[in-house]
């Protein structure tokens, strides 16, 4: 098999699209049952994985994952008011996630309107990850930090605080690569965005990031969020047998997550 990053025959390891530390955090702070949006009746314990990288490339990614987990992820989840400095490590981590998302969906048989752009972006991001090449195109990549103190309802709060979600989103005019986990949202512009679509979020422009001053001005992105939140709501439309299993499961697990953030969010919106 060919390693999808460095392009040579290798024994491939199973790679997480969204790193494992995210799922560890979710298990520690909430219900241990995780669900994937696109296939809601199949619980996923450990996130989506794909045979993608050789051991060396996997190591390269995991060094940055460990850094992000310790220096950014855990500190920010503890204190939402933290400023996050923009560094090469941060940029590398973010691009490595978006590259994995493109790889995961791009050749899944869907007829993407912007397939040739996705191919080009994948290649440019890959050359950055491999050879440290400058990202000269598809460089409008955004890190959005969620401040969940003011969300209107439980579904919105749960989605923005906890959901794991990845996709290539597109309509006739626009396309972006999307990854969301815990309180972090990553968006890689592929096509069709206005200059002022985002403020204080661009990893190619900003020196630091703060949840207090970031703005999204693009209505299409808002509609996309709304749509994803509605999909989260449809968790409650699970099949009867699945519901029953879930209830039993939750009854048994309840003791284990009474301290968790999941319960805190539910209580907040009672
Ligand atoms: Zn490799």
């Amino acid at each position: 098999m060919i390693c999808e990053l460095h392009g040579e025959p290798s024994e491939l390891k199973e790679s997480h699209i969204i790193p494992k530390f995210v799922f560890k955090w979710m298990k520690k702070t909430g219900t241990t049952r995780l669900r994937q949006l696109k296939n809601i009746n199949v619980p996923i314990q450990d996130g989506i994985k794909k045979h993608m990288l050789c051991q060396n490339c996997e190591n390269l990614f995991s060094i940055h994952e460990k850094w992000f987990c310790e220096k950014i992820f855990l500190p920010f989840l503890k204190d939402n008011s933290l400023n996050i400095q923009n560094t090469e490590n941060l940029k590398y981590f973010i691009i490595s996630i978006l590259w994995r998302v493109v790889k995961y969906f791009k050749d899944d048989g869907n007829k993407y309107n912007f397939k040739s752009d996705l191919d080009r972006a994948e290649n440019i991001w890959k050359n950055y990850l491999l050879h440290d090449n400058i990202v000269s195109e598809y460089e409008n990549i955004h890190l959005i930090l969620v401040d969940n103190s003011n969300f209107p309802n439980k579904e919105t709060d749960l989605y923005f605080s906890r959901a794991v979600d990845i996709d290539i989103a597109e309509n006739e005019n626009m396309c972006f690569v999307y990854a969301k986990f815990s309180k972090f949202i990553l968006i890689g512009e592929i096509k069709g965005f206005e200059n002022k679509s985002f403020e204080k979020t661009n990893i190619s422009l900003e020196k630091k990031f703060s949840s207090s001053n970031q703005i999204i001005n693009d209505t299409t992105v808002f509609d996309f969020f709304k749509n994803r939140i509605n999909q989260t709501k449809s968790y409650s439309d699970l099949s009867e047998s699945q519901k029953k299993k879930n209830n039993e499961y939750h009854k048994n697990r309840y003791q284990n997550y009474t301290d968790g953030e999941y319960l805190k969010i539910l209580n907040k919106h009672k």
Side-chain angles (χ1 to χ4, degrees), residues 11-53:
E11 189 190 325
L12 296 192
K13 302 288 160 194
E14 229 176 16
S15 308
H16 281 83
I17 307 297
I18 295 294
K20 202 171 173 185
F21 66 78
V22 172
F23 298 94
K24 270 197 191 148
W25 173 83
M26 288 179 81
K27 283 175 193 168
K28 218 174 131 192
T29 57
T31 167
T32 56
R33 281 232 158 162
L34 308 172
R35 274 171 201 292
Q36 197 177 333
L37 283 179
K38 281 190 173 168
N39 193 358
I40 58 167
N41 275 351
V42 183
I44 47 163
Q45 296 300 327
D46 203 19
I48 302 170
K49 288 180 267 189
K50 188 187 178 212
H51 282 94
M52 198 180 246
L53 302 175

Side-chain angles (χ1 to χ4, degrees), residues 14 17 36 48 55 57 99 129 145 159 179 214 223 266:
E14 229 176 16
I17 307 297
Q36 197 177 333
I48 302 170
Q55 189 65 60
C57 292
W99 177 79
L129 295 170
L145 302 167
Y159 180 78
Q214 296 187 319
D223 285 344
L266 292 179

Side-chain angles (χ1 to χ4, degrees), residues 121-169:
E122 187 242 307
N123 208 34
I124 284 168
W125 293 347
K126 183 179 78 182
N127 284 328
Y128 163 79
L129 295 170
L130 256 184
H131 309 296
D132 212 18
N133 283 9
I134 289 168
V135 183
S136 53
E137 257 184 287
Y138 306 102
E139 76 281 21
N140 289 327
I141 294 169
H142 306 278
L143 167 65
I144 298 142
L145 302 167
V146 173
D147 169 5
N148 72 322
S149 48
N150 279 316
F151 285 126
N153 57 49
K154 183 182 78 186
E155 286 82 10
T156 310
D157 197 345
L158 277 176
Y159 180 78
F160 282 113
S161 307
R162 301 194 54 85
V164 174
D165 194 5
I166 55 175
D167 213 346
I168 291 174

Side-chain angles (χ1 to χ4, degrees), residues 76-212:
F76 182 77
L77 292 177
K78 221 174 185 177
D79 178 3
N80 277 217
S81 66
L82 276 188
N83 281 334
I84 293 178
Q85 298 298 322
N86 194 1
T87 60
E88 269 310 307
N89 275 333
L90 182 67
K91 191 173 172 188
Y92 194 100
F93 172 80
I94 289 171
I95 294 182
S96 83
I97 299 286
L98 292 176
W99 177 79
R100 278 176 263 189
V101 175
V102 175
K103 277 305 255 187
Y104 184 77
F105 287 113
K106 188 177 66 91
D107 300 312
D108 63 0
N110 277 320
K111 286 204 168 53
Y112 291 105
N113 294 328
F114 298 101
K115 177 75 165 61
S116 61
D117 288 279
L118 289 165
D119 285 339
R120 277 167 65 86
E122 187 242 307
N123 208 34
I124 284 168
W125 293 347
K126 183 179 78 182
N127 284 328
Y128 163 79
L129 295 170
L130 256 184
H131 309 296
D132 212 18
N133 283 9
I134 289 168
V135 183
S136 53
E137 257 184 287
Y138 306 102
E139 76 281 21
N140 289 327
I141 294 169
H142 306 278
L143 167 65
I144 298 142
L145 302 167
V146 173
D147 169 5
N148 72 322
S149 48
N150 279 316
F151 285 126
N153 57 49
K154 183 182 78 186
E155 286 82 10
T156 310
D157 197 345
L158 277 176
Y159 180 78
F160 282 113
S161 307
R162 301 194 54 85
V164 174
D165 194 5
I166 55 175
D167 213 346
I168 291 174
E170 67 166 20
N171 58 25
E172 307 80 58
N173 310 312
M174 276 174 84
C175 179
F176 60 94
V177 183
Y178 180 72
K180 140 121 212 9
F181 53 90
S182 310
K183 294 176 182 169
F184 299 85
I185 296 172
L186 312 180
I187 290 178
E189 294 183 19
I190 298 296
K191 199 86 182 183
F193 281 87
E194 306 272 340
N195 253 343
K196 283 272 165 214
S197 296
F198 300 88
E199 292 177 35
K200 307 280 184 201
T201 59
N202 195 322
I203 65 163
S204 303
L205 299 174
E206 301 302 325
K207 288 203 170 66
K208 58 183 181 186
F209 304 96
S210 157
S211 63
S212 63

Side-chain angles (χ1 to χ4, degrees), residues 247-262:
N247 288 341
E248 301 260 309
Y249 186 83
H250 280 190
K251 224 165 40 194
N252 297 335
R253 300 294 304 181
Y254 187 73
Q255 296 291 357
N256 291 342
Y257 62 86
T258 45
D259 296 333
E261 186 171 2
Y262 182 72

